[in-house]
Amino acid sequence: TNPHLPAEMFAHEWHGFIPPCHMKVLQLCPILAFLAILLITPVLLVRILSRVDLRQQTRYLLLANVLFSDLLFVCMNILSACINLAGVLMTEWPCAVLLFLSAVLYSSGVLSITAMVLDTCFAVLAPFRYLALWPVSRTYGAIVAIWVISVFLPAAAVGMFLWYHSTAPCALHLCSLPLLMVLTVSHFRPLHVSMLLTVTGIIFILLLVLSGYLILYFCTRSSGVWKGETSSRARGTFLIHYLHLFLAFCPLLVLMIELMLCHNSETMDPKASLWMSLVVCNILLILPKALAPYLYGLRYRELCNLLFQFFHLNRPTTITPVI
């Protein structure tokens, strides 16, 4: 018997496992997120890049990189969804390019958020040496390094994806990430193990960042660095960074749980795996992208004033320091 026959049958019949009403809801989520991002992200990007004073601040440059990566990622997601809805068949190479670009944009956004967390810690712990030790020129170098790392990180996974499909191609060439997660990751042990190691490393990074925040909080609290409203805003800004970082890593955490539950592919339930993959790709991957411009647009005073002016809303005038 052909060991890949069940996978090929599942590839042809997977639409039957999802009720049409549920499928429409899952397909609607990325569209709503795209509209939410398109509403204010271009406004924020134009504001940051057109203002010289904002381009001289590390936090705004990193935020612009996050917003730019997220906007392109959601556009790639919508493009992939349109291709699948149109029933366009793709061979492994065009599909690999599409997946690679999406992975690069996702990695760039996550690494930029991590850099924003570290930048906030550095600015609070060493406020008088911050500008001398971290000038704007180094920020541009850090952004270039983020994109270089983002290119190399997905290369191994995409390479193994091409290897798998060159030796055991699926009969149906649909470039759908949820379907590929069910058919490829769970049936190809090297890719399975590599993704487990990657997600384990990401969990380790999350724990390190959380530990750094706790150490930062208690050290500055005991030394009196954070006082009054400045203290509150500094903690609030860091928590927003960490919330965004956690939401960005959340899809990979769910993926790791799925891989651990389905460690033995022979006993894996493809329906449950497909449901989990659809939720990860259509909701959890998109949610932090849609929230980011609103979280930071309303947090930073310069951007918040711009948004209220752009949408002709009245905002109470308050004088508060921004950390």
Side-chain angles (χ1 to χ4, degrees):
T1 59
N2 184 0
H4 299 285
L5 186 58
E8 294 183 6
M9 293 178 60
F10 180 77
H12 285 284
E13 301 174 359
W14 69 281
H15 277 292
F17 298 130
I18 308 296
C21 58
H22 296 171
M23 195 65 190
K24 289 180 181 179
V25 172
L26 290 172
Q27 292 172 345
L28 185 62
C29 291
I31 297 175
L32 294 177
F34 175 71
L35 295 176
I37 291 175
L38 201 62
L39 184 63
I40 68 170
T41 294
V43 178
L44 296 178
L45 285 174
V46 170
R47 177 71 167 188
I48 294 174
L49 298 179
S50 62
R51 287 274 300 271
V52 177
D53 57 332
L54 297 185
R55 293 201 309 269
Q56 297 299 316
Q57 300 184 50
T58 298
R59 57 178 174 173
Y60 288 112
L61 290 175
L62 292 175
L63 176 60
N65 197 51
V66 171
L67 297 177
F68 179 71
S69 302
D70 290 352
L71 178 62
L72 292 183
F73 177 83
V74 175
C75 289
M76 292 291 295
N77 188 279
I78 294 294
L79 174 63
S80 177
C82 293
I83 291 174
N84 291 324
L85 288 175
V88 178
L89 302 182
M90 299 179 67
T91 59
E92 59 267 18
W93 277 102
C95 183
V97 171
L98 191 62
L99 294 176
F100 177 74
L101 292 176
S102 298
V104 168
L105 294 171
Y106 177 80
S107 301
S108 174
V110 171
L111 291 175
S112 298
I113 301 167
T114 306
M116 292 177 70
V117 174
L118 298 176
D119 174 71
T120 302
C121 291
F122 191 28
V124 172
L125 290 176
F128 300 108
R129 295 179 296 166
Y130 172 72
L131 293 178
L133 296 176
W134 195 259
V136 179
S137 59
R138 292 189 179 180
T139 303
Y140 286 107
I143 293 176
V144 171
I146 285 173
W147 281 101
V148 171
I149 296 173
S150 300
V151 169
F152 283 101
L153 279 179
V158 174
M160 283 188 285
F161 165 80
L162 290 172
W163 177 29
Y164 173 79
H165 281 275
S166 64
T167 57
C170 182
L172 186 62
H173 296 291
L174 277 180
C175 194
S176 171
L177 182 57
L179 185 59
L180 290 173
M181 286 170 61
V182 176
L183 296 178
T184 302
V185 177
S186 58
H187 288 81
F188 190 44
R189 190 52 56 88
L191 188 57
H192 189 134
V193 174
S194 67
M195 293 193 71
L196 273 177
L197 293 175
T198 301
V199 176
T200 303
I202 288 174
I203 294 176
F204 181 70
I205 293 174
L206 267 178
L207 293 176
L208 281 181
V209 173
L210 179 60
S211 302
Y213 171 71
L214 294 176
I215 294 173
L216 177 69
Y217 174 77
F218 286 110
C219 288
T220 51
R221 186 180 182 183
S222 61
S223 61
V225 175
W226 284 352
K227 295 285 187 180
E229 191 171 2
T230 301
S231 167
S232 175
R233 290 194 62 84
R235 287 195 294 267
T237 301
F238 193 99
L239 288 177
I240 286 178
H241 291 331
Y242 190 79
L243 173 63
H244 190 195
L245 189 64
F246 176 79
L247 291 176
F249 283 152
C250 190
L252 298 179
L253 301 179
V254 176
L255 178 60
M256 188 189 73
I257 295 174
E258 177 186 359
L259 293 176
M260 294 180 67
L261 292 176
C262 305
H263 185 72
N264 187 355
S265 61
E266 296 179 358
T267 61
M268 181 194 67
D269 183 6
K271 297 180 184 180
S273 183
L274 178 62
W275 263 109
M276 190 173 293
S277 299
L278 285 170
V279 171
V280 167
C281 296
N282 288 21
I283 298 178
L284 297 182
L285 272 178
I286 304 299
L287 180 62
K289 314 297 182 186
L291 291 179
Y294 296 92
L295 285 175
Y296 294 109
L298 297 176
R299 184 63 185 176
Y300 293 138
R301 184 178 57 189
E302 294 85 350
L303 301 181
C304 185
N305 292 334
L306 167 69
L307 293 178
F308 276 88
Q309 293 173 7
F310 185 82
F311 293 105
H312 304 287
L313 300 174
N314 294 324
R315 180 173 185 263
T317 56
T318 56
I319 300 176
T320 55
V322 178
I323 300 299

